[in-house]
Amino acid sequence: MKRYQILSVAAIFTFCLQLSAQNTPTINKKETFSIGESIEIPSNILNENRILNIYLPNNYEKDSQKKYPVIYLLDGSVDEDFIHVAGLVQFGSFPWIKMIPESIVVGISNIDRKRDFTYPTTNEKDKEEFPTTGKSENFINFIEKELQPLIDKTYRTDLTKTIIGQSLGALLATEILFKKPNLFDNYIIVSPSLWWDNESLLKFAPKKYLTTKSIYIGVGKEGPNMERAAKELYQKLQPISNDNTKLFFEFFEKQNHGDALHLAVYDSFEKIFKKE
C-alpha cells in the first residue's frame, strides 16, 4: 500500500512538472545588458595599457549640449567598486531623488594598486609586504596629464571633478589633497590607510585652498589605529574649514573595513551635493 502511494505521488509530481513546462513562456529576444562602456588606453607615464570603465548618465545621448561633472573612482574595476558606485550615482541623480547631479563615472581598473596608491616608505615591514611599492607619484601624474585630459576631450564634461578612494585608494586621495589639491574639487576619503610609512602623511600641514573644496572622511569600526588616524586627518583639516572648504566626517559603527564604502559614498553624496 505504501509503495502504491509513493508511486502515485511521483506520477502526480511528474505530471505537474510536464504541465508547468508546457505553460512556461519562451524567450523572444536576448541581448547583452550594459551599464556603460569599457575603454583601453595606452599610458606613456605608466608604460602600460589601462582599462577605464565609464558610466554615462541616462540622458547623455539625448542632450548633445549638456555637460556633466565627473567622478573618478579608484579601485574602479568591474569586480571591485565600479558597478555599485555607478548604481549609487544613477539612483542619486533620479529626478525624484535629486541628491546628486547627473554625473559621468570613470572607474580606473587596477593592475597593481599597492604600487600605484603608495608613496615610498621607510618602514621595513611595509617594504616586505608591498615589494612593488612607492609609485604613487607616477600614478598621480597619469591622472593629471593623461587621464583627465583624455576624459575632458572624449566626453562632455564640466569643471567639477570628484575623487573616491577607499583604503589604499583613500591614502592616494589624501596624498593628492595635500600635494596637488587642485586636481579635484571634491574628495571622498573612506577608511584611509594612513598607517602607511609610519603615518608620515599626517605630518603634512594643509594650506587653505584657493578654490572651493568639499572633503568627506568616513571610517567604520576598523580598529583603534585606523579609526584614530581617520579622526586625526579630520582634525588636521578643521583649521582650513571655512566658506570655501566644506569638511565632513562620519563614523560607521556597524560597518568594518570591508563594507563601509557603500554607505559612506551614499552619505558623502548627501552631504556634498544635496541641496536643501
Side-chain angles (χ1 to χ4, degrees):
M1 183 68 179
K2 189 177 291 187
R3 182 183 176 188
Y4 173 77
Q5 290 175 330
I6 293 173
L7 291 173
S8 298
V9 170
I12 293 171
F13 181 71
T14 302
F15 174 76
C16 290
L17 285 177
Q18 292 173 343
L19 185 62
S20 175
Q22 291 174 359
N23 294 329
T24 301
T26 58
I27 297 173
N28 290 335
K29 190 176 182 181
K30 188 175 182 180
E31 295 180 342
T32 300
F33 175 76
S34 173
I35 66 165
E37 56 192 36
S38 184
I39 62 176
E40 181 177 278
I41 64 169
S43 168
N44 293 325
I45 293 173
L46 300 176
N47 195 31
E48 63 191 11
N49 292 340
R50 299 302 297 242
I51 299 294
L52 305 174
N53 297 308
I54 313 294
Y55 165 80
L56 298 174
N58 292 338
N59 295 316
Y60 187 84
E61 299 298 338
K62 297 177 183 177
D63 186 349
S64 62
Q65 301 302 313
K66 186 175 180 180
K67 295 184 177 182
Y68 298 89
V70 183
I71 297 172
Y72 290 86
L73 175 64
L74 303 171
D75 294 317
S77 301
V78 170
D79 58 353
E80 292 177 312
D81 299 328
F82 176 73
I83 293 176
H84 73 94
V85 170
L88 284 175
V89 173
Q90 183 200 41
F91 173 79
S93 63
F94 282 146
W96 56 90
I97 304 295
K98 290 185 178 178
M99 178 172 65
I100 183 174
E102 285 192 306
S103 303
I104 297 169
V105 180
V106 178
I108 310 170
S109 293
N110 281 319
I111 292 179
D112 184 352
R113 68 195 299 273
K114 294 178 180 179
R115 173 198 69 187
D116 294 333
F117 296 171
T118 60
Y119 51 89
T121 178
T122 58
N123 186 296
E124 294 302 322
K125 187 177 179 182
D126 291 348
K127 294 178 183 178
E128 181 180 342
E129 294 182 357
F130 296 71
T132 61
T133 186
K135 302 298 182 182
S136 63
E137 183 178 358
N138 281 353
F139 197 74
I140 294 170
N141 285 334
F142 160 71
I143 291 174
E144 178 183 16
K145 297 175 182 178
E146 293 183 330
L147 178 58
Q148 287 186 346
L150 172 79
I151 296 301
D152 289 337
K153 179 181 177 182
T154 308
Y155 301 97
R156 299 194 310 275
T157 65
D158 67 16
L159 297 177
T160 305
K161 295 178 173 63
T162 300
I163 186 170
I164 300 176
Q166 188 260 350
S167 191
L168 286 178
L171 177 73
L172 180 76
T174 305
E175 183 182 1
I176 296 172
L177 176 65
F178 284 168
K179 296 179 180 179
K180 289 195 172 182
N182 290 331
L183 283 185
F184 296 97
D185 306 286
N186 305 311
Y187 288 80
I188 299 173
I189 297 168
V190 183
S191 307
S193 297
L194 295 169
W195 48 264
W196 181 255
D197 188 36
N198 304 313
E199 300 186 357
S200 63
L201 203 53
L202 287 173
K203 297 180 176 66
F204 271 79
K207 299 177 181 179
K208 290 187 177 181
Y209 304 117
L210 299 177
T211 58
T212 302
K213 293 271 182 287
S214 290
I215 304 165
Y216 178 96
I217 302 164
V219 68
K221 195 78 173 176
E222 306 180 43
N225 288 334
M226 290 282 290
E227 295 164 29
R228 173 193 53 76
K231 291 174 184 175
E232 191 172 324
L233 175 62
Y234 171 69
Q235 292 164 356
K236 177 177 281 290
L237 292 168
Q238 276 187 316
I240 65 170
S241 179
N242 52 36
D243 291 340
N244 206 39
T245 302
K246 304 297 183 183
L247 181 62
F248 308 96
F249 179 85
E250 191 65 38
F251 175 56
F252 297 91
E253 190 173 2
K254 295 183 179 180
Q255 273 62 50
N256 56 40
H257 194 72
D259 64 357
L261 179 67
H262 193 88
L263 283 181
V265 171
Y266 187 96
D267 187 57
S268 71
F269 285 173
E270 281 198 315
K271 288 180 166 63
I272 292 173
F273 297 107
K274 193 170 185 178
K275 293 179 172 57
E276 297 297 333

